[in-house]
Amino acid sequence: MSTNSPDTVAQRNWFTRFLDVVEWLGNLLPHPVTLFAALAVAMVFVSGLFGWLGVGVTDPRPGADGATIEAVSLLNAEGLRMIFGNLVSNFVNFAPLGVVLVAMLGVGVAEKSGLLSALVRGIVLNAPRHLVTVALVFAGVLSNTASEMGYVVLVPLGGAIFLALGRHPLAGMAAAFAGVSGGYSANLLLGTIDPLLAGITTEAAQLIDPDYEVFATANWFFMIGSTFMITAVGSLVTIFIVEPKLGAYDDSRADPHVLDDSKMTPLKSEERRGLLMAALAMLGVIGLILVLVLPETGVLRDPAAAGEGFLASSTPFFRSIVAWIFVFFLATGIAYGRTVGTIRNDRDVIDGMASAIATLGLYIVLVFFAAQFVAFFGWTNLGLITAITGADFLQAIGLTGPLVFFFFIIMCGIVNLSLGSASAQWAVTAPIFVPMLMIIGYSPEVIQGAYRIGDSTTNIITPMMSYFGLILAWATRYDKNFGIGTLIATMLPYSIFYFICWTVFFFIWVFGLGLPVGPGSPTYYQAP
């Protein structure tokens, strides 16, 4: 039986038409860079209007003594001086910029050396046949440590693996895609997205508490637990829903070359030695961290907080976590590359770093305009006014308990359908929802954890996701009639079950068991 064609999918009921409407609406949005530029300009005019109207709210924060927070206009001489005088500082001081650049320097070396590709192939190809699906989803989750690598390596590899095993290749691609993108915020390791989101959350939290800092490890515990849940759900959906729906594979629609072009290359002996050396380098880095953190007098311990417990006294380590991400990938990448011959000298290391930074050109442009918008939003007090007004509304309708996160996750998932970039979406929503939910008592770390669920679960069904077109291109190699509607219909079961199971998992983890979402991450916010 052949795969479902776009024509067959198109004849389905209202749901396909709904997806067409979502795609059409998403295509109406401008590029994220244009969107942030427009928002920044709009903020100037909106602040002028609200300042002229004298919009303000009573400050509910402790010590405010009933003071009024008024909208500040940027549409005047003083406001324009602030805008032009701080254009550069807004950009260079934007918290996510530096941490992402530093982390990517190390990741770039690991990617250039071939370590990341070999690690993924080693996990998937060495798994027992009946556990291949589990290994594929699990490897997809781990691959998002280096974001793009999963999309460009693992997803096509999933199709080749399933084809070689006599299973439907599109099911293999779907399983890998579900792990890489649907499980984007689950992982055993910290990746480049963690310091990026933490930086944006810090900027938003400081609208309420100027001294509040969110670390890259903010959601680490919850991410580790989510990894196994996402792997289990993705594997079950593949086996019991997606594969039966696709049926037996009909290769008559495939590109003839793809049937002979297997990407499932077994690890060579030198690659195995490289992985062993990378593992030894990893143990060396971990050992160094333990020496610097575990002793009471450790360099990365805070002497002033010696009697307040390990987490409190380890604040210097958590502040330096981005540097350790850099060191981790740099050390393991060099160890692997030197063994297999992909890194022969310092120039190769530098080339790896440079190539990683080169891929961030669009991100840097995006950050420039996002930083201006976030700064303008803070200067005008519109973020605080919106947050306090929203918090008052939630309190008025009695929606201040944990149930508020259910609606928050849904909202994030819906927004993600049209704004597929995790950082772009969070830069827009965090200045509103982080302060709002902080005011009613929840910590920025928990708020960020809930956001990541909504952001991840709809990645795999929105054409606005930056790699959606790439996945579609790979799929058409196995079925030339495979279209956007078919891809969305194939991935929709993952999205639905991820949303349900991950949301339930969040409520059990945070409010049922009372577990912290990360080291030193409180569930509730208490104003100083």
Side-chain angles (χ1 to χ4, degrees):
M1 184 168 61
S2 64
T3 58
N4 293 322
S5 70
D7 294 336
T8 303
V9 175
Q11 293 173 3
R12 293 181 183 178
N13 54 21
W14 59 271
F15 192 71
T16 299
R17 292 192 293 272
F18 165 73
L19 294 176
D20 291 338
V21 171
V22 170
E23 180 185 352
W24 177 74
L25 290 174
N27 288 335
L28 294 179
L29 284 176
H31 192 282
V33 172
T34 307
L35 180 62
F36 274 115
L39 287 173
V41 172
M43 190 57 55
V44 175
F45 289 97
V46 171
S47 70
L49 174 62
F50 281 29
W52 178 71
L53 293 174
V55 173
V57 295
T58 301
D59 191 345
R61 293 174 294 182
D65 298 325
T68 300
I69 299 175
E70 298 181 344
V72 176
S73 173
L74 298 179
L75 200 60
N76 51 39
E78 184 179 354
L80 293 175
R81 283 193 292 268
M82 287 180 63
I83 291 173
F84 289 104
N86 293 279
L87 204 68
V88 175
S89 60
N90 290 343
F91 175 53
V92 298
N93 294 327
F94 192 57
L97 177 63
V99 295
V100 170
L101 294 179
V102 171
M104 282 301 293
L105 289 175
V107 172
V109 175
E111 189 167 11
K112 178 177 176 58
S113 70
L115 169 62
L116 300 180
S117 175
L119 183 61
V120 168
R121 286 187 289 125
I123 292 173
V124 174
L125 299 180
N126 292 323
R129 183 183 178 93
H130 62 285
L131 291 179
V132 165
T133 304
V134 176
L136 192 57
V137 179
F138 181 70
V141 174
L142 295 188
S143 73
N144 64 50
T145 299
S147 57
E148 301 126 354
M149 193 271 295
Y151 293 106
V152 301
V153 174
L154 188 62
V155 175
L157 180 65
I161 291 172
F162 269 47
L163 180 63
L165 295 175
R167 299 169 66 179
H168 203 300
L170 295 178
M173 290 186 62
F177 187 25
V180 174
S181 198
Y184 190 63
S185 284
N187 212 326
L188 300 181
L189 303 173
L190 296 176
T192 54
I193 189 65
D194 298 291
L196 189 156
L197 294 182
I200 296 174
T201 307
T202 296
E203 299 265 356
Q206 289 177 353
L207 293 172
I208 293 291
D209 187 342
D211 297 323
Y212 205 98
E213 186 174 3
V214 179
F215 301 120
T217 55
N219 301 137
W220 198 3
F221 293 162
F222 182 66
M223 288 165 52
I224 292 173
S226 298
T227 298
F228 300 101
M229 183 276 298
I230 285 294
T231 300
V233 173
S235 301
L236 292 173
V237 170
T238 302
I239 295 170
F240 293 106
I241 298 179
V242 173
E243 281 199 274
K245 170 185 173 293
L246 292 172
Y249 180 53
D250 177 8
D251 62 10
S252 64
R253 296 179 179 176
D255 180 340
H257 299 289
V258 78
L259 301 178
D260 301 321
D261 184 21
S262 175
K263 301 293 183 183
M264 191 174 58
T265 308
L267 291 178
K268 300 176 183 178
S269 58
E270 61 266 27
E271 289 178 313
R272 295 183 185 277
R273 289 196 303 272
L275 288 175
L276 176 61
M277 296 305 296
L280 293 176
M282 178 186 70
L283 292 176
V285 172
I286 293 174
L288 179 59
I289 291 174
L290 294 178
V291 168
L292 297 176
V293 174
L294 287 184
E296 287 285 343
T297 57
V299 173
L300 295 182
R301 295 281 287 271
D302 183 1
E308 300 179 20
F310 175 76
L311 292 177
S313 61
S314 298
T315 298
F317 167 69
F318 292 127
R319 284 205 177 105
S320 64
I321 196 69
V322 176
W324 286 106
I325 292 175
F326 165 73
V327 171
F328 176 85
F329 283 105
L330 179 66
T332 54
I334 290 176
Y336 178 87
R338 293 287 294 179
T339 304
V340 302
T342 53
I343 292 182
R344 296 177 296 277
N345 50 47
D346 60 323
R347 289 185 178 275
D348 292 328
V349 174
I350 295 169
D351 287 344
M353 293 182 179
S355 62
I357 297 300
T359 64
L360 295 177
L362 178 60
Y363 170 73
I364 293 173
V365 175
L366 175 68
V367 162
F368 175 78
F369 291 101
Q372 309 311 322
F373 166 71
V374 171
F376 296 175
F377 204 50
W379 294 343
T380 60
N381 284 336
L382 294 183
L384 269 177
I385 292 172
T386 303
I388 293 170
T389 304
D392 288 343
F393 173 74
L394 293 176
Q395 291 170 338
I397 65 175
L399 190 60
T400 58
L403 186 61
V404 70
F405 282 98
F406 174 74
F407 296 101
F408 176 61
I409 293 171
I410 290 178
M411 184 278 300
C412 293
I414 293 174
V415 172
N416 190 53
L417 291 173
S418 298
L419 191 61
S421 167
S423 57
Q425 183 189 162
W426 192 225
V428 172
T429 55
I432 298 173
F433 289 97
V434 170
M436 183 187 303
L437 296 179
M438 284 177 70
I439 290 173
I440 62 175
Y442 297 103
S443 74
E445 292 85 352
V446 167
I447 300 166
Q448 177 182 285
Y451 159 74
R452 298 178 74 165
I453 296 173
D455 170 68
S456 298
T457 53
T458 54
N459 272 340
I460 49 183
I461 60 171
T462 172
M464 299 304 294
M465 199 275 292
S466 55
Y467 288 95
F468 195 88
L470 177 65
I471 305 305
L472 184 62
W474 280 111
T476 56
R477 299 181 67 196
Y478 293 106
D479 183 353
K480 61 184 178 182
N481 294 327
F482 200 86
I484 290 177
T486 318
L487 179 55
I488 294 175
T490 301
M491 302 309 300
L492 187 60
Y494 294 103
S495 186
I496 292 172
F497 281 95
Y498 277 175
F499 172 80
I500 295 172
C501 296
W502 212 345
T503 301
V504 170
F505 186 71
F506 172 80
F507 277 94
I508 293 174
W509 183 284
V510 176
F511 302 109
L513 300 177
L515 298 174
V517 293
S521 297
T523 298
Y524 300 99
Y525 170 71
Q526 295 181 345

